[in-house]
Amino acid sequence: MDCSTTWTRIWILLAVMLLLTTGVRSQSITISEDLPLRNDFAYTLLGWVNHNLLLFRDKGNQFFIQAFDEDLHLKWERQIYLGDRKADIIGMLAHEDRFHIIYGLRDRGLYRLHHRSYAHDVSLIDSSLIEVISDVFTTPRMSFSVSEDKSKILLNQDDNTGIQLYSYDLHQRSLLWKTNIRFVGTSLRRDFRSLQISNAGEFFLTLQPDRFLQKIQSLEVFCSVGGTGEVRRETITLGDVQVYDVYPSFDNVNQNLMITGMYSDRNSARALGFYFVRYQPGVPFTVQLLPFDETLLAEVHGREVSVSRGLSDFNIQQVAIRQDGGVVIIAELNKEFSRRSSLPMRRDNGTFARGGWIDYYFEDLILFAIHPDGTPHWKKVLRKRQYSQDDDAIYSSFFLFKTPARLRFLFNDEIKQENTVGGYEVTGTGYVERKTVFNTDYQRLKLRFKDGLQVAYNECIVPSERNNRLNLVRIRYKD
């Protein structure tokens, strides 16, 4: 063997080692031990509280907190006692030094809304009564929304013809205001699209009136003004086009409700472009229409098509608000097919009936960046292919990791037992890089990326469920 051949092989070996080292250094993966799920009603990831990763376990009539160390080893498990009566867990969230539980208790026609805050070791810090609802003989439908800075929550109780709202300050442990909205000729559960709360504790409720009709050309926005619970109502009209999709999000820096979505023309099943509205109570607004161009449609369809063909089966999944007041709209292609079976299938009650299967497809992503004035900045198509059957698509779609410099997309390349976790990195200028994050071979993982939690600028926790076992997976970027 001559000297040149030897040096060539050495350089190839060094290059391979450099590539492997670079991939390893870009992120680290930590996996917890198996946690049985057989007796759980639900669980909630709370995040890091005083250097403990906390996991809330709801076992129906009993509630527990499990704490994990930096290496995701289980340190301890402690029970939380909320009273002799059955407590309805409405929501929970965590701050750096404590975590909060919002729950309800029904007592002789009354429904009491409570707030408790706990230290990282589950010692009680404070307990407050938020509100007492009278004349309640069945458990009310209660849910809550959280402000971006996690200082305010918005509790809402709906009965289809109206909604009761309670704005609550977690730090001050005080009710800011409450208000009741009644709707005439509107079904809240049918028309509801979004309920947002700002860092100041104001609410923004978006409805899509009669959204099952053939032609829908307007949206309804209800919001509170001035910290009093006074309600303002506004109609946002799209003009000659109709609403195909809608996704509101609140910009706390510029104090605007950003309403984006897709619009269509005569064919309500085919979107022709995006619309964009910056709404602020009492300020004139303009609806910007941003039609799809031939280049974007050709990239999605894989060939040149007419602009009139538009896009079908795409829906907006998230909106990333930029620091300059613009947005990045993230739409995903998702389809669902039901197939009937001629074979009898056994039901839970012991009877037999004809069954079926449901196929789920979660595929390409469209990213559309918009300047603050509503003009387009850039647009990209991110390729992915996900297919699953009869799993409610809990392993499909993606997790969006937000940092000031870039957006990271994490997802399962395929929905199967052994899998590769893929991802994209997108900069503010629209530069896209495709990356493989890690491989789950022999790890016995099935990651639920839609339920992941970003806990730092460079770290997220993603739950994995397989065969009634839960694992927590930490992905930490080192850049």
Side-chain angles (χ1 to χ4, degrees):
M1 182 182 297
D2 60 16
C3 184
S4 62
T5 303
T6 302
W7 279 108
T8 300
R9 291 186 175 182
I10 290 174
W11 281 113
I12 292 174
L13 179 61
L14 289 173
V16 172
M17 291 176 64
L18 179 62
L19 288 174
L20 290 174
T21 304
T22 302
V24 170
R25 285 181 180 175
S26 61
Q27 68 269 330
S28 64
I29 311 298
T30 307
I31 304 171
S32 74
E33 58 260 43
D34 290 349
L35 305 169
L37 282 176
R38 191 173 303 276
N39 297 321
D40 280 51
F41 179 76
Y43 63 86
T44 303
L45 269 170
L46 296 176
W48 293 102
V49 180
N50 223 349
H51 306 293
N52 291 271
L53 180 65
L54 299 186
L55 176 69
F56 178 82
R57 307 288 296 267
D58 182 349
K59 297 182 182 293
N61 294 321
Q62 293 181 315
F63 310 107
F64 297 87
I65 291 287
Q66 292 179 323
F68 300 81
D69 63 17
E70 289 285 343
D71 296 319
L72 296 193
H73 295 307
L74 180 62
K75 296 170 62 176
W76 47 258
E77 177 181 275
R78 292 171 186 165
Q79 185 174 1
I80 293 180
Y81 179 71
L82 297 177
D84 294 331
R85 296 181 180 273
K86 184 180 183 303
D88 306 314
I89 303 297
I90 299 171
M92 59 194 66
L93 70 154
H95 291 132
E96 291 182 358
D97 62 340
R98 67 192 65 195
F99 67 93
H100 307 268
I101 298 180
I102 311 299
Y103 64 98
L105 293 173
R106 192 157 58 90
D107 180 20
R108 299 177 183 178
L110 301 176
Y111 194 75
R112 304 178 189 275
L113 298 173
H114 293 269
H115 163 222
R116 283 191 180 184
S117 56
Y118 294 86
H120 71 281
D121 58 357
V122 197
S123 59
L124 182 64
I125 297 176
D126 188 80
S127 179
S128 303
L129 178 65
I130 300 175
E131 180 70 356
V132 178
I133 305 174
S134 58
D135 300 326
V136 175
F137 301 101
T138 59
T139 301
R141 289 168 48 99
M142 298 292 302
S143 58
F144 88 143
S145 306
V146 184
S147 64
E148 184 180 29
D149 65 358
K150 298 198 291 188
S151 66
K152 313 293 189 307
I153 62 170
L154 186 68
L155 296 166
N156 69 84
Q157 172 195 0
D158 74 82
D159 59 5
N160 201 31
T161 61
I163 187 169
Q164 179 77 36
L165 299 173
Y166 307 89
S167 180
Y168 182 76
D169 190 317
L170 286 171
H171 295 322
Q172 301 298 323
R173 299 185 298 278
S174 63
L175 185 66
L176 299 177
W177 51 260
K178 61 181 179 180
T179 191
N180 185 274
I181 306 174
R182 295 285 107 186
F183 303 103
V184 178
T186 297
S187 170
L188 179 64
R189 295 174 190 173
R190 180 193 65 196
D191 301 339
F192 174 84
R193 296 313 304 249
S194 172
L195 183 59
Q196 309 271 328
I197 179 171
S198 70
N199 290 343
E202 307 296 346
F203 85 91
F204 292 84
L205 171 65
T206 307
L207 302 179
Q208 185 175 323
D210 301 321
R211 63 189 179 99
F212 293 111
L213 296 180
Q214 288 296 318
K215 199 168 183 66
I216 310 152
Q217 295 178 282
S218 64
L219 301 169
E220 299 288 338
V221 176
F222 295 80
C223 62
S224 55
V225 181
T228 63
E230 176 190 349
V231 177
R232 178 190 295 269
R233 177 180 180 179
E234 194 100 45
T235 300
I236 296 177
T237 303
L238 267 63
D240 296 331
V241 301
Q242 58 181 318
V243 178
Y244 175 91
D245 193 18
V246 58
Y247 192 103
S249 54
F250 192 78
D251 179 2
N252 282 286
V253 175
N254 300 287
Q255 297 298 302
N256 291 311
L257 181 68
M258 321 290 268
I259 305 176
T260 61
M262 293 180 171
Y263 70 87
S264 58
D265 196 0
R266 292 184 298 273
N267 187 345
S268 60
R270 184 175 59 229
L272 298 180
F274 293 102
Y275 63 88
F276 176 71
V277 183
R278 290 166 60 93
Y279 171 75
Q280 196 173 88
V283 178
F285 59 86
T286 302
V287 178
Q288 302 276 356
L289 298 182
L290 306 166
F292 300 138
D293 57 28
E294 294 179 354
T295 303
L296 177 65
L297 294 177
E299 190 170 358
V300 172
H301 292 294
R303 63 185 187 279
E304 292 187 2
V305 296
S306 169
V307 173
S308 62
R309 178 172 177 177
L311 293 175
S312 301
D313 302 312
F314 275 89
N315 298 99
I316 295 179
Q317 298 293 338
Q318 291 201 48
V319 169
I321 299 176
R322 307 193 320 191
Q323 294 179 345
D324 64 355
V327 299
V328 179
I329 303 174
I330 303 163
E332 183 178 34
L333 191 156
N334 53 77
K335 296 180 287 187
E336 181 179 316
F337 296 100
S338 298
R339 295 183 288 127
R340 300 289 295 174
S341 170
S342 59
L343 299 175
M345 301 181 69
R346 186 181 180 89
R347 292 175 172 173
D348 292 338
N349 60 7
T351 62
F352 289 85
R354 291 176 61 185
W357 299 272
I358 301 178
D359 299 331
Y360 299 96
Y361 295 84
F362 281 72
E363 301 185 350
D364 296 341
L365 301 173
I366 294 177
L367 274 60
F368 202 106
I370 302 175
H371 286 298
D373 62 359
T375 57
H377 183 190
W378 51 262
K379 43 190 174 292
K380 298 290 180 180
V381 176
L382 309 184
R383 300 291 185 187
K384 71 178 179 69
R385 294 286 185 271
Q386 295 171 320
Y387 163 75
S388 63
Q389 188 179 88
D390 298 332
D391 65 350
D392 292 325
I394 62 174
Y395 305 107
S396 300
S397 200
F398 62 93
F399 174 77
L400 179 60
F401 198 111
K402 300 178 183 178
T403 72
R406 60 179 60 87
L407 298 176
R408 287 190 172 105
F409 295 82
L410 302 175
F411 51 85
N412 293 306
D413 278 332
E414 296 179 87
I415 312 302
K416 61 179 186 178
Q417 299 292 345
E418 309 296 343
N419 180 39
T420 300
V421 175
Y424 287 95
E425 292 191 5
V426 184
T427 67
T429 59
Y431 174 75
V432 176
E433 185 177 1
R434 178 71 158 89
K435 292 190 174 183
T436 297
V437 182
F438 67 99
N439 195 298
T440 65
D441 286 351
Y442 311 110
Q443 299 294 330
R444 303 180 64 82
L445 297 176
K446 291 193 73 174
L447 292 155
R448 299 181 56 159
F449 277 106
K450 285 192 294 188
D451 301 306
L453 176 68
Q454 183 170 344
V455 294
Y457 78 96
N458 65 341
E459 181 183 335
C460 65
I461 308 293
V462 181
S464 167
E465 284 187 34
R466 179 175 171 178
N467 298 331
N468 282 320
R469 295 192 308 271
L470 171 69
N471 299 92
L472 304 182
V473 180
R474 181 178 65 192
I475 304 173
R476 177 182 287 172
Y477 290 89
K478 297 183 178 180
D479 54 357

